[in-house]
């Protein structure tokens, strides 16, 4: 085939493949990729730099079986709950891995093409996708050691014979960045003799070898299946570790970025309304590179937000949070941030590198341990175990302060954290247990032996319904967060790409200004980060004198623009001039 006869899509695909596989026939490989994706080479490109989201987009993060009801598939139970209780509060559901798995609560996938029968089936996923945007996980760095692929690898048959990354244990692996303390290589007996396979996370999670184009082709077929089932948002799990080169850090390598660009090219040509999100729990400056040139991730996780926000709320000092926010570049059109405070994983500590001092980090860790948290570690390049993440429920993390311990302001602190997350530039993502104020599940930790289980509780619907109908903190949290989400969704100033400007109001107040894309709505988000009342002068905000200014949270109208405003402990205001048209 002559290059002159290639479509624009084929030319772009070949350009990516030439970077990843410089020694292969990339024209032929491009045809195989398109065939695996069932994609017409003449498919037109989607409009560039399009914002496929607005202020109404709020995501719920949940396992397929976080909610269980007797004699009902958990996916059906989940669908019923979000449709009946959250249709006005959220627009998207992130379904954490819902496939057959062998460990790590789904992230050790045994079969990418099948829904775990204990959760439901593909019809349940597709039905959910008819009512909400659904984000699925692409766990493509590794798969289960009990998968058919790995069994085939050991037997030397296809598919799987060459799917896993092998390394010589005598090679220089000292520079490899590790997120865990387990040995990097696992010894395996195969039909071709003893081999050592690469395991970034655990010995049950064996890393796939993308140096083999057959692996890429298999993954493309899996992605196409997800698209056919209605999934449109894709989370690239642990993608920073995708490409390995002994003698290097084997993280954030150029080939990894090129594969992301290729996947985005294919996915957005199949479905222009699709979104790619990279899950890269790494230092902030490295994380930002996954936007590429607007051609990699549509969204990146704001991994620095959870530890810095929690640190501010337990110390009463917002300085580091403010400095980080000022350093964050505005996302260009067609990209934005995914903001979260809690998730199925712990509170990552690597994103605090260069932002918190060792003393401050130690204080945060000790405070979280005091509130029932656990600490997971990783192995540094020097071979030293170092804290990697804090495992704790957000409700317990907000129990008190670093100086005084537990106090009476737990709910106010918790609600303030949600208020920050929902107001910042980007799309907010609420973990299902932050929706209910679920406590640390220490019994689950004991049963599984894994610290992350502390924040992976499974609610029985009878028990949850009882809690939500009784005067409990679960009811208060659910109703308050649901209402807050509804308010957020009505504000054009909270569009994920609306202007954001950090305000300087001292270390005890955290504040920023948002302005809608059409410049009609201004909104000042101001938070008291302490357990003492704090005041500020309204005239410092330069409120437009001809507008009526109202706090969307309390409905308080501020008529005197020269007066002082007082915020009680952990209280916050969303002060806007556009309330009347948006309530």
């Amino acid at each position: 085939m002559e290059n002159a006869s290639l479509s624009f899509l084929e030319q772009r695909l070949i350009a990516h493949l030439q970077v990843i596989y410089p020694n292969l026939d990339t024209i032929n490989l491009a045809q195989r990729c398109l065939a695996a994706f069932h994609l017409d080479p003449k498919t037109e490109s989607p409009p560039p730099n399009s914002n496929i989201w607005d202020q109404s987009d709020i995501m719920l993060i949940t396992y397929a079986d976080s909610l269980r009801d007797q004699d009902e598939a958990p996916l059906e139970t989940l669908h019923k709950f979000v449709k009946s209780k959250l249709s006005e509060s959220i627009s998207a559901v992130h379904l954490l891995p819902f496939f057959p798995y062998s460990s790590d609560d789904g992230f050790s996938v045994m079969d990418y093409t099948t829904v775990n029968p204990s959760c439901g089936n593909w019809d349940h996923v597709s039905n959910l996708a008819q009512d909400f945007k659904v984000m699925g996980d692409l766990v493509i760095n590794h798969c289960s050691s009990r998968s058919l692929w790995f069994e085939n690898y050991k037997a030397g048959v296809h598919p799987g014979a060459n799917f896993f990354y092998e390394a010589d244990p005598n090679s220089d692996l000292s520079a490899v960045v590790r997120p865990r303390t387990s040995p990097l290589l696992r010894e395996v007996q195969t039909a071709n003799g003893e081999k050592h396979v690469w395991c970034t996370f655990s010995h049950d999670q064996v890393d796939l070898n993308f140096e083999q184009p057959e692996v890429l082709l298999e993954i493309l077929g899996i992605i196409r299946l997800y698209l056919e089932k209605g999934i449109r948002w894709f989370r690239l799990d642990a993608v920073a570790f995708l490409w390995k080169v002994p003698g290097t850090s084997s993280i954030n390598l150029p080939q990894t970025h090129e594969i992301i660009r290729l996947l985005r090219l294919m996915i957005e040509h199949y479905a222009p309304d699709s979104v790619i999100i990279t899950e890269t729990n790494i230092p902030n400056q490295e994380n930002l590179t996954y936007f590429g040139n607007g051609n990699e991730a549509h969204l990146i996780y704001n991994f620095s937000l959870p530890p810095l926000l929690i640190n501010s709320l337990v110390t009463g000092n917002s300085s580091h949070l403010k400095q980080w926010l000022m350093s964050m570049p505005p996302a260009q059109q067609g990209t934005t941030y995914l903001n979260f405070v809690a998730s199925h994983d712990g509170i990552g500590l690597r994103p605090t590198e260069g932002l918190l001092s060792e003393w401050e980090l130690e204080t945060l860790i000790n405070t979280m341990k005091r509130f029932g948290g656990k600490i997971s570690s990783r192995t540094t390049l020097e071979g030293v175990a170092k804290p990697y993440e804090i495992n704790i429920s957000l409700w317990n993390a907000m129990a008190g302060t670093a100086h005084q311990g537990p106090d009476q302001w737990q709910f106010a602190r918790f609600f303030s954290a949600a208020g920050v997350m929902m107001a910042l530039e980007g799309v907010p993502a609420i973990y299902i247990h932050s929706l209910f104020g679920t406590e640390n599940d220490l019994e689950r930790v004991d049963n599984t032996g894994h610290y992350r289980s502390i924040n992976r509780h499974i609610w029985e619907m009878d028990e949850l319904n009882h809690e939500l109908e009784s005067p409990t903190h679960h009811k208060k949290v659910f109703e308050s967060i649901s209402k807050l989400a509804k308010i957020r969704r009505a504000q054009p100033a909270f569009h994920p790409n609306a202007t954001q400007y950090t305000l300087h109001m001292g270390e005890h107040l955290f504040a920023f200004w948002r302005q809608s894309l059409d410049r009609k709505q201004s909104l000042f988000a101001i938070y008291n980060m302490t357990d003492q009342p704090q005041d500020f002068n309204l005239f410092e905000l330069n409120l437009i004198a001809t507008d009526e200014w109202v706090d969307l949270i309390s409905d308080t109208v501020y008529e005197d623009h020269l007066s002082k405003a007082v915020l009680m402990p952990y209280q916050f205001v969303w002060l806007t001039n556009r309330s009347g048209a948006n309530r």
Side-chain angles (χ1 to χ4, degrees):
M1 180 182 291
E2 296 296 324
N3 287 347
S5 66
L6 296 174
S7 69
F8 184 53
L9 172 57
E10 288 171 306
Q11 292 178 44
R12 292 180 63 188
L13 179 55
I14 289 167
H16 292 309
L17 290 170
Q18 286 173 341
V19 175
I20 304 167
Y21 306 110
N23 301 318
L24 297 182
D25 178 357
T26 50
I27 292 180
N28 176 263
L29 182 55
Q31 309 311 311
R32 297 177 67 195
C33 288
L34 291 168
F37 221 70
H38 294 184
L39 195 57
D40 185 339
K42 296 182 175 61
T43 302
E44 292 187 7
S45 300
N49 308 121
S50 298
N51 295 327
I52 321 171
W53 44 76
D54 62 24
Q55 64 272 13
S56 69
D57 281 305
I58 298 179
M59 180 176 290
L60 176 72
I61 306 170
T62 180
Y63 281 100
D65 63 348
S66 290
L67 306 179
R68 288 182 179 171
D69 206 354
Q70 190 174 10
D71 300 325
E72 185 174 71
L75 275 167
E76 185 176 356
T77 302
L78 176 68
H79 187 185
K80 286 181 178 179
F81 182 85
V82 295
K83 188 173 182 179
S84 62
K85 302 289 189 181
L86 297 173
S87 59
E88 296 181 8
S89 303
I90 68 166
S91 63
V93 177
H94 172 197
L95 281 182
L96 291 156
F98 48 83
F99 318 103
Y101 68 95
S102 55
S103 63
D104 198 17
D105 285 346
F107 285 92
S108 185
V109 180
M110 296 172 62
D111 182 356
Y112 292 91
T113 65
T114 304
V115 175
N116 191 331
S118 67
C119 294
N121 55 47
W122 277 117
D123 285 342
H124 292 124
V125 176
S126 297
N127 291 339
L128 180 63
Q130 291 178 10
D131 292 320
F132 299 89
K133 300 171 185 177
V134 171
M135 181 162 83
D137 274 274
L138 292 178
V139 188
I140 57 176
N141 177 72
H142 51 263
C143 76
S144 170
S145 65
R146 292 172 52 192
S147 65
L148 176 62
W149 285 355
F150 196 66
E151 292 299 322
N152 287 350
Y153 164 77
K154 291 187 290 185
V157 299
H158 293 288
N162 58 351
F163 277 20
F164 297 91
Y165 195 90
E166 300 173 353
D168 182 349
N170 296 316
S171 60
D172 181 11
L173 303 176
S174 61
V176 175
V177 171
R178 297 301 316 286
R180 299 290 185 271
T181 56
S182 57
L184 175 62
L185 301 183
R186 171 187 169 182
E187 182 181 310
V188 180
Q189 298 299 324
T190 76
N192 297 312
E194 182 181 281
K195 302 293 181 181
H196 291 84
V197 292
W198 193 288
C199 300
T200 298
F201 290 90
S202 78
H203 282 189
D204 185 44
Q205 295 165 298
V206 189
D207 286 33
L208 293 165
N209 183 9
F210 276 85
E211 290 182 9
Q212 300 294 331
E214 296 299 329
V215 173
L216 175 64
L217 291 168
E218 285 282 352
I219 295 301
L220 288 176
I222 289 165
I223 295 172
R224 187 204 73 241
L225 171 66
Y226 297 175
L227 284 162
E228 291 173 348
K229 299 300 183 182
I231 294 172
R232 288 295 179 267
W233 289 42
F234 295 89
R235 176 183 183 270
L236 303 187
D237 176 66
V239 71
F241 301 96
L242 203 63
W243 198 272
K244 291 86 174 158
V245 178
T248 74
S249 64
S250 293
I251 189 172
N252 306 323
L253 296 186
Q255 295 90 337
T256 292
H257 286 278
E258 202 67 41
I259 290 173
I260 295 171
R261 295 179 194 122
L262 184 152
L263 295 181
R264 171 163 173 171
L265 178 73
M266 300 291 283
I267 290 171
E268 68 182 6
H269 274 78
Y270 187 102
D273 60 338
S274 294
V275 172
I276 287 179
I277 302 178
T278 49
E279 189 268 331
T280 47
N281 192 357
I282 51 182
N284 194 50
Q285 293 304 311
E286 296 175 29
N287 189 32
L288 288 169
T289 66
Y290 283 87
F291 277 139
N293 187 27
N295 59 352
E296 293 186 35
H298 293 90
L299 281 76
I300 63 171
Y301 278 81
N302 243 339
F303 274 110
S304 296
L305 176 61
L308 292 180
L309 178 54
I310 292 170
N311 181 70
S312 294
L313 287 165
V314 300
T315 63
N317 189 326
S318 67
S319 298
H320 293 305
L321 184 64
K322 186 189 308 178
Q323 290 169 4
W324 162 76
L325 190 63
M326 289 190 294
S327 73
M328 294 295 285
Q332 63 180 292
Q333 297 299 308
T335 66
T336 193
Y337 298 100
L338 188 75
N339 296 319
F340 71 109
V341 189
S343 73
H344 62 291
D345 287 341
I347 302 163
L349 297 178
R350 287 213 68 202
T352 67
E353 293 177 13
L355 300 173
L356 294 181
S357 69
E358 288 296 321
W359 176 83
E360 289 167 324
L361 189 58
E362 183 178 355
T363 299
L364 176 61
I365 289 172
N366 288 336
T367 302
M368 295 299 101
K369 289 169 68 175
R370 184 178 182 182
F371 299 157
K374 307 292 184 180
I375 308 300
S376 296
S377 299
R378 67 182 182 91
T379 300
T380 66
L381 297 179
E382 295 75 29
V384 177
K386 186 175 182 179
Y388 176 73
E389 68 178 16
I390 300 168
N391 304 112
I392 192 170
S393 79
L394 183 60
W395 177 254
N396 287 91
M398 296 289 92
T401 66
H403 305 297
Q404 301 295 330
D407 60 21
Q408 73 270 38
W409 302 112
Q410 186 171 18
F411 171 79
R413 204 177 284 113
F414 183 93
F415 189 55
S416 182
V420 172
M421 176 191 70
M422 288 199 198
L424 286 173
E425 174 188 356
V427 174
I430 308 169
Y431 186 40
I432 193 166
H433 293 302
S434 298
L435 189 63
F436 305 133
T438 308
E439 301 100 328
N440 290 337
D441 192 338
L442 297 175
E443 181 180 353
R444 190 170 174 84
V445 172
D446 290 340
N447 290 338
T448 65
H450 299 295
Y451 286 163
R452 283 183 168 179
S453 297
I454 200 170
N455 200 23
R456 297 179 178 179
H457 182 71
I458 294 176
W459 279 99
E460 296 293 339
M461 284 307 301
D462 286 346
E463 179 188 6
L464 179 60
N465 287 330
H466 178 266
E467 294 295 327
L468 296 182
E469 292 167 2
S470 305
T472 65
H473 83 267
H474 300 295
K475 175 184 174 68
K476 187 176 182 180
V477 166
F478 179 72
E479 291 180 348
S480 300
I481 300 299
S482 298
K483 181 181 178 182
L484 191 66
K486 293 175 188 177
I487 296 172
R488 178 235 151 73
R489 299 184 78 194
Q491 312 310 317
F494 283 151
H495 186 287
N497 295 89
T499 298
Q500 177 173 285
Y501 184 80
T502 308
L503 303 178
H504 298 273
M505 302 179 70
E507 66 182 32
H508 299 314
L509 296 176
F510 178 59
F512 49 91
W513 171 69
R514 303 294 306 277
Q515 186 182 55
S516 59
L517 296 175
D518 62 9
R519 303 182 70 178
K520 291 182 179 179
Q521 184 187 21
S522 285
L523 198 153
F524 295 89
I526 306 171
Y527 305 79
N528 180 359
M529 307 298 278
T530 76
D531 57 2
Q532 299 296 319
Q534 303 290 335
D535 60 49
F536 63 92
N537 294 310
L538 284 170
F539 69 79
E540 295 178 359
L541 302 179
N542 296 321
L543 302 179
I544 300 171
T546 56
D547 288 352
E548 180 184 78
W549 292 88
V550 62
D551 170 27
L552 296 172
I553 307 302
S554 66
D555 288 324
T556 301
V557 177
Y558 290 83
E559 296 178 346
D560 183 356
H561 299 175
L562 300 180
S563 64
K564 279 186 180 291
V566 178
L567 295 181
M568 299 306 291
Y570 305 105
Q571 182 186 355
F572 65 93
V573 294
W574 284 352
L575 190 60
T576 185
N577 63 337
R578 290 282 294 167
S579 61
N582 295 301
R583 297 305 299 274

